[in-house]
Amino acid sequence: MVQDPGGRFENFGRKMDEHLGGAGGQMETEVKRVIDYLNDRVVPEVRENSSKALRLAAEQLAKLAEHLDRQRGQ
């Protein structure tokens, strides 16, 4: 008996589903783990460093304003 090409393709598809079927759950788990890492570690670090950068910029702008005021006073 000769198999038709469509039957081979369906068998291939089934084998691929069996092989990759578990990967979907694993990928979902890994994506959740990455999101947790970003929320727990990266976001707080960015917030902390952003506030430090803003404070530093504010200090530098205050110094610039003082310098401009002194220049006008001369």
Side-chain angles (χ1 to χ4, degrees):
M1 181 176 266
V2 177
Q3 288 185 336
D4 65 325
R8 281 191 245 155
F9 183 74
E10 286 179 18
N11 287 335
F12 175 75
R14 283 190 199 108
K15 288 180 183 179
M16 291 303 294
D17 284 343
E18 290 172 7
H19 183 69
L20 298 176
Q26 185 178 0
M27 287 180 5
E28 186 175 333
T29 301
E30 289 299 312
V31 168
K32 287 179 182 179
R33 194 172 67 81
V34 168
I35 290 170
D36 289 343
Y37 175 78
L38 290 172
N39 286 331
D40 296 343
R41 301 285 178 112
V42 175
V43 171
E45 185 71 24
V46 167
R47 286 182 180 154
E48 182 179 330
N49 289 331
S50 295
S51 63
K52 287 179 184 178
L54 286 172
R55 286 187 184 97
L56 181 60
E59 290 173 15
Q60 295 300 318
L61 287 171
K63 289 178 183 179
L64 176 60
E66 289 174 14
H67 174 73
L68 292 173
D69 285 345
R70 281 194 302 269
Q71 292 297 319
R72 260 190 270 152
Q74 289 180 340

